[in-house]
Amino acid sequence: MAKTFDFTVNGKPITVTLDNEETPLLDVLRNELGLMGTRFGCGLEQCGCCMALIDGQPEKCCAKPVWSAAGKSITTVEGLGTPALPHPLQQAFLDEQAGQCGYCLSGILISAKALLAKNPSPTRAEIALALDGNICRCGSHNRILRAVEKAAAVMRGIHP
Amino acid sequence: MNALPGPLNDNPRLDLWVSFAETGKVVVNTGRVELGQGVLTAMAQIASDELDVDMASVMVRSGVTDNMPNEGYTAGSQSIQMGGQAMAQACADVRALFLEQAAKAIGCNANELTVRGGKFLRNGALSGQDYWTLNGAVDLAVNATGRGQRKAIGERAHIGRNDARTDLPGKLFGEPVFIHDMRLAGMKHARVVRQPNKDATIGAIDEAAIRRAAKGDIAFVRSGDFLAIVGDDEPAVERAGAAAVNHVTWTNVEMPTPLQQEANWLVQRPVIDCLLGSPEPSDAQGRERFEATYSRGYLAHASISPSCGLAEYRDGHLTVWTHCQGVFPLRGALARMLKLDAKAITVHHVQGSGCYGHNGADDATADAAVIAMQMPGTPIRIRWRREEEFVHEPKSPAMLVKVRALLDADGKPSDWTAEIWSGNHNGRPGGGNALLAGYALPDQEPFPQANDVPEAAGGGATRNADPLYDIADKRIIHHMVTETPVRVSALRGLGAMPNVFALECAIDELAGRAGVDPVAYRLSITSDPRARAVIEKVAVMSNWQANASGGAGRGRGIAFSRYKNRAAYAAIIVDLEVDEEIRLHRIWCATDGGLIVNPDGAINQLEGGVIQSASWVLKEQVRLDGGTASFDWETYPVLKFSEVPMIDIVLINPTNSDVPLGVGEATAGPTAAAIGNAVSHALGIRLRDLPLTRERIMAALLQE
């Protein structure tokens, strides 16, 4: 009964074979592909820890069946940047020391990336609203907002 | 010679703290663990300064039960206050021993030598000796003496500087830094079919239905009323775990009611009483009397990730991986529960999400250990379901606080009583309390009676109930409620938040009675200069206008406390707007935390405390209705990004001191009270029960 699913993950074509097509995409990323950056928070699409970009849209992956992502292009936090070549968002989060435990940060980076793609110069209120689907329990909100503002400014400079 | 800091006194052998085994590297061991508070970075800063080595050469080992100082729990804002001081003195003592040996090797006086980047300089010139050339000649298997000279103000290169967090990059590049990301060869996933309450026993198990729901291979592991599902495929195990809730019947199930979720349910319950201070006078001696009752419901830690634990039992040795706050206490608790020698157990800390106290981490590890003991040679990973974390993590106890004061002719309190009803704030396994699995396993030793944190350790329900103000006679009447409708334990600040809420709201009420501005009133009963300084500073920061009229839905409130009356001082002012709901506009905070190792890290913690407390005050209460009815983020909402106000935090004299005071929990209490006071200022009516929900605000407005 095994089924095969093709998609692109962080720019690379990927094929996975699974017994159950209802397997959540998050489990495929973490347990089949070993991409641990996308975190499990609730399994209920409530907290945003598990967000990835699917065809450019920020989506919660914890309850999304793998079949629904077949043929699509998925970007996870590992696809944003590397320590040697960080994405401006990652650099801004480092600059602002934006985080405490860090468990929510992967999802927040994904939400922020999607926001800046749509709106390169968001106000702080617009950033906050865009991040309302991501829960931060440690209280690093204001640092995170500052970091996204900073990254937006940097990215406007790079791509005027 | 200095008295040794507590953790160094408890773990005096210097080789437990520092080693130079690898050339160019210094390994320092701290019993404190990284919980997202940046403590390992701060420890590296301390070690770097006190040893005079480059920060890049310092490797911080943390949180394992082998060759590590046992510092109990990483809790209570004590990691720098106690653990950092211990690390500093251990490093200073090590440096002194090496200086003596270097002087011998070079043939000079130790006072001709200095250390830079781990190299010993004689009158400023390289001597050819460094920590690593001398390592064989210096015996660190000796006890600390406290004779090593600590770095003075002005000699510190890293302490007091905003060094970047060492743990943050991995978290921003999606690296597998969390315990949830660990995968061991041959590992199986597991879920527990959770005993609904401690006396519940398993009735029937419909294994076939659970297997059908799994849609994959699973096995059952059972011991007494402990039942778990194990398999190779995590989604199958997860499905089975979720479905099992409906396919296993239990007897002796307790059904807590909505009445029990409220703090006033605690009054008239069986209690253990304790009076701290002088008996309450029966005669007011002509003084005016003030009395008010404040309360708060049960709170969840609501960690962003459900708890996770791994365990492997192989060749008679149990190894576990945990994100709990204390590896040594957990080892002891596992040994008791599993009837193993503690020497046969190794506990490793691996980072989890923020815990803010005693969440499900210890229990999830215990679950994995129970299963691993039944499957020798197979590593077991358990990750709780979201619902499981909300329902079964220990809660912060509901509290009811009655404040009674007698006022002098100027309207200032001359006699103060805080009468408290609360469950205990320490259900930690280190105190002999059960790990959750222990309630379900057969043949367990009886668990001790509930016991709160002693006053000497800062108190639990009584924490911060004693006002720091100049009041001639004060006392705390503590009624510890012995049986609570939900399991209770430690959450950030323990009783400090409800107590400071009660005390600081009462002070505002007294200021109002006296017709004195709340800032001026507080200053008029405050002698401690550091307390005065934070109150005065926050008033300046916020441009506080004395006797400004509130009303029309806009309000401003102040509150102050010194955490545990011996850690950091914090004063908070809140600006907000209320109609049916509260909208926080801006919060100012002035803190005196003594010596601050990493100011940006301290501000991050203080601000986190402000936001978490604001979330508690505006939104949070665990609901009970036939069980724990707060089981996800919709039934237990927390503050969202768009609801977080701007926050300004100022540290007073952060580097001009030798004594750190502990800041991590300092803002939770005064934030709660400042919000309460601002709401009262905005509405002209006093709300004394937390959380300040829309329903409570509407009810209070209708009563007017």
Side-chain angles (χ1 to χ4, degrees):
Chain A
M1 283 252 299
K3 285 193 180 133
T4 295
F5 302 92
D6 297 311
F7 27 72
T8 306
V9 178
N10 297 330
K12 291 189 200 114
I14 296 280
T15 301
V16 293
T17 304
L18 295 166
D19 287 336
N20 190 330
E21 64 176 8
E22 300 296 328
T23 298
L25 178 59
L26 179 63
D27 280 281
V28 175
L29 294 172
R30 291 177 59 82
N31 287 331
E32 306 293 325
L33 307 180
L35 293 170
M36 297 293 183
T38 313
R39 318 287 187 194
F40 176 92
C42 65
L44 305 164
E45 301 187 333
Q46 291 177 349
C47 73
C49 289
C50 63
M51 286 177 110
L53 295 172
I54 301 181
D55 285 346
Q57 294 303 308
E59 304 256 12
K60 291 167 178 162
C61 299
C62 62
K64 180 177 283 302
V66 62
W67 61 260
S68 71
K72 297 188 174 171
S73 175
I74 299 163
T75 303
T76 68
V77 68
E78 291 94 338
L80 293 192
T82 61
L85 207 64
H87 187 278
L89 276 164
Q90 289 164 320
Q91 186 60 52
F93 275 61
L94 285 171
D95 293 345
E96 293 295 326
Q97 294 283 290
Q100 288 185 36
C101 82
Y103 202 89
C104 64
L105 290 176
S106 300
I108 285 172
L109 287 165
I110 292 292
S111 275
K113 183 166 193 292
L115 168 71
L116 298 186
K118 254 189 344 208
N119 178 359
S121 12
T123 62
R124 188 171 284 214
E126 287 170 332
I127 299 169
L129 212 56
L131 296 181
D132 268 352
N134 297 87
I135 293 172
C136 162
R137 182 58 166 161
C138 294
S140 294
H141 303 72
N142 286 333
R143 285 164 183 261
I144 289 167
L145 295 174
R146 282 201 300 275
V148 176
E149 281 181 323
K150 186 170 187 175
V154 168
M155 288 167 74
R156 285 196 302 273
I158 294 169
H159 308 287
Chain B
M1 184 171 128
N2 307 319
L4 293 179
L8 189 55
N9 198 49
D10 297 341
N11 303 272
R13 276 260 304 248
L14 290 173
D15 58 353
L16 270 180
W17 296 85
V18 183
S19 75
F20 298 93
E22 188 188 339
T23 299
K25 295 282 178 206
V26 187
V27 175
V28 296
N29 295 318
T30 171
R32 309 287 159 167
V33 296
E34 183 61 57
L35 305 171
Q37 81 285 44
V39 69
L40 301 192
T41 307
M43 290 296 176
Q45 291 177 252
I46 290 168
S48 176
D49 269 3
E50 297 295 352
L51 289 167
D52 279 316
V53 294
D54 295 338
M55 187 128 151
S57 66
V58 179
M59 321 234 312
V60 183
R61 255 180 98 239
S62 158
V64 58
T65 48
D66 295 329
N67 300 319
M68 178 74 60
N70 178 353
E71 297 190 58
Y73 287 105
T74 301
S77 298
Q78 298 185 103
S79 289
I80 300 300
Q81 194 172 13
M82 305 290 288
Q85 293 291 79
M87 173 66 73
Q89 191 59 55
C91 290
D93 277 9
V94 166
R95 183 176 175 278
L97 290 176
F98 273 84
L99 273 170
E100 277 173 33
Q101 187 60 38
K104 267 190 221 161
I106 298 162
C108 68
N109 240 324
N111 61 17
E112 294 170 52
L113 298 175
T114 53
V115 193
R116 194 183 306 150
K119 297 183 168 69
F120 290 81
L121 310 183
R122 183 181 183 186
N123 298 322
L126 286 175
S127 68
Q129 298 290 355
D130 59 33
Y131 281 116
W132 300 276
T133 59
L134 295 167
N135 189 36
V138 177
D139 184 11
L140 292 183
V142 296
N143 285 354
T145 60
R147 280 197 284 268
Q149 190 65 41
R150 297 270 309 275
K151 283 293 156 64
I153 297 165
E155 293 178 341
R156 301 167 186 149
H158 288 280
I159 294 170
R161 201 174 79 170
N162 291 331
D163 286 314
R165 288 250 304 275
T166 53
D167 61 309
L168 204 50
K171 297 168 176 179
L172 286 165
F173 293 103
E175 289 167 15
V177 295
F178 295 108
I179 188 168
H180 305 72
D181 309 329
M182 277 187 71
R183 297 291 183 270
L184 300 170
M187 182 185 87
K188 289 189 186 295
H189 295 275
R191 298 292 181 269
V192 170
V193 185
R194 185 59 63 196
Q195 188 185 30
N197 47 270
K198 69 179 176 187
D199 298 316
T201 53
I202 292 182
I205 305 168
D206 187 348
E207 288 195 16
I210 297 169
R211 285 183 199 280
R212 277 196 303 278
K215 297 180 193 160
D217 286 340
I218 54 161
F220 292 88
V221 170
R222 182 167 176 187
S223 176
D225 294 303
F226 180 92
L227 175 66
I229 294 158
V230 180
D232 292 318
D233 182 37
E234 188 175 16
V237 174
E238 176 86 359
R239 283 189 291 270
V245 175
N246 301 318
H247 297 298
V248 176
T249 61
W250 296 86
T251 53
N252 297 329
V253 176
E254 290 165 9
M255 302 286 272
T257 65
L259 269 179
Q260 291 176 296
Q261 81 189 12
E262 304 303 336
N264 58 16
W265 181 83
L266 297 168
V267 180
Q268 308 300 330
R269 307 307 304 168
V271 291
I272 295 172
D273 287 338
C274 179
L275 169 70
L276 299 161
S278 54
E280 193 171 1
S282 51
D283 180 3
Q285 293 176 322
R287 289 174 290 184
E288 196 184 341
R289 191 184 286 275
F290 168 84
E291 179 165 355
T293 303
Y294 306 85
S295 78
R296 190 203 72 185
Y298 293 90
L299 296 182
H301 299 76
S303 294
I304 187 77
S305 77
S307 292
C308 180
L310 286 85
E312 182 176 23
Y313 185 62
R314 189 183 290 274
D315 304 327
H317 194 91
L318 176 69
T319 307
V320 302
W321 293 264
T322 181
H323 55 105
C324 80
Q325 292 175 283
V327 290
F328 286 97
L330 177 59
R331 183 176 69 170
L334 288 172
R336 278 193 303 278
M337 183 180 79
L338 301 169
K339 300 172 176 45
L340 288 174
D341 187 338
K343 290 194 193 75
I345 305 175
T346 303
V347 181
H348 294 271
H349 179 264
V350 185
Q351 286 189 71
S353 69
C355 61
Y356 329 108
H358 177 197
N359 67 355
D362 299 89
D363 298 315
T365 313
D367 291 343
V370 170
I371 300 165
M373 292 295 293
Q374 295 210 16
M375 300 176 70
T378 301
I380 299 295
R381 172 188 184 267
I382 189 152
R383 196 259 299 136
W384 281 11
R385 294 177 297 108
R386 178 74 261 164
E387 175 184 348
E388 207 175 348
E389 182 75 28
F390 264 119
V391 172
H392 293 285
E393 60 141 293
K395 306 299 183 297
S396 179
M399 282 177 62
L400 187 121
V401 183
K402 283 185 190 289
V403 171
R404 291 187 289 275
L406 299 175
L407 311 177
D408 67 17
D410 298 328
K412 295 177 188 171
S414 58
D415 187 280
W416 189 277
T417 303
E419 185 173 15
I420 299 166
W421 285 261
S422 173
N424 72 307
H425 288 257
N426 179 19
R428 291 185 186 275
N433 300 303
L435 292 155
L436 208 44
Y439 289 128
L441 292 175
D443 306 324
Q444 292 290 297
E445 297 291 320
F447 298 109
Q449 174 138 40
N451 196 359
D452 211 350
V453 180
E455 280 305 296
T462 57
R463 185 166 292 183
N464 276 105
D466 175 18
L468 202 70
Y469 297 112
D470 308 334
I471 301 172
D473 296 301
K474 301 182 290 185
R475 70 205 54 79
I476 301 169
I477 303 168
H478 176 200
H479 308 290
M480 192 190 76
V481 179
T482 51
E483 291 288 332
T484 49
V486 292
R487 193 167 64 126
V488 287
S489 192
L491 170 68
R492 198 175 197 161
L494 310 190
M497 182 274 217
N499 283 326
V500 173
F501 176 74
L503 150 63
E504 283 291 292
C505 287
I507 289 288
D508 242 49
E509 296 194 51
L510 294 179
R513 278 187 170 214
V516 179
D517 176 73
V519 169
Y521 186 82
R522 282 175 173 78
L523 290 172
S524 77
I525 53 173
T526 305
S527 305
D528 184 331
R530 296 174 81 170
R532 294 182 67 86
V534 292
I535 294 170
E536 286 166 350
K537 179 69 184 175
V538 79
V540 170
M541 286 168 68
S542 65
N543 191 25
W544 179 271
Q545 302 294 314
N547 300 309
S549 58
R554 287 295 298 255
R556 180 172 265 213
I558 182 169
F560 157 80
S561 84
R562 180 182 192 192
Y563 183 51
K564 298 189 228 180
N565 287 353
R566 64 186 189 214
Y569 298 80
I572 304 256
I573 287 176
V574 171
D575 249 7
L576 52 70
E577 194 177 342
V578 200
D579 38 44
E580 294 173 0
E581 290 181 331
I582 298 165
R583 278 185 298 283
L584 302 171
H585 284 301
R586 196 151 175 190
I587 298 181
W588 296 267
C589 167
T591 295
D592 178 352
L595 171 65
I596 301 289
V597 174
N598 189 316
D600 186 62
I603 287 170
N604 202 351
Q605 287 303 296
L606 291 162
E607 183 162 333
V610 168
I611 293 171
Q612 197 165 76
S613 181
S615 183
W616 294 340
V617 168
L618 266 53
K619 303 202 161 195
E620 297 185 33
Q621 178 175 16
V622 172
R623 305 287 167 182
L624 302 177
D625 192 357
T628 301
S630 299
F631 49 79
D632 63 10
W633 297 108
E634 284 174 2
T635 50
Y636 193 87
V638 300
L639 213 61
K640 295 189 291 188
F641 270 88
S642 60
E643 297 166 330
V644 170
M646 284 179 66
I647 300 170
D648 296 284
I649 293 177
V650 166
L651 299 170
I652 293 177
N653 295 330
T655 54
N656 192 24
S657 165
D658 290 319
V659 183
L661 291 181
V663 299
E665 293 154 319
T667 49
T671 300
I675 292 172
N677 290 336
V679 168
S680 169
H681 188 232
L683 297 180
I685 47 174
R686 177 61 62 171
L687 279 78
R688 300 189 183 90
D689 301 299
L690 297 176
L692 304 177
T693 56
R694 183 177 185 280
E695 294 71 31
R696 286 217 169 102
I697 293 166
M698 294 298 285
L701 287 171
L702 284 172
Q703 265 190 1
E704 273 297 288

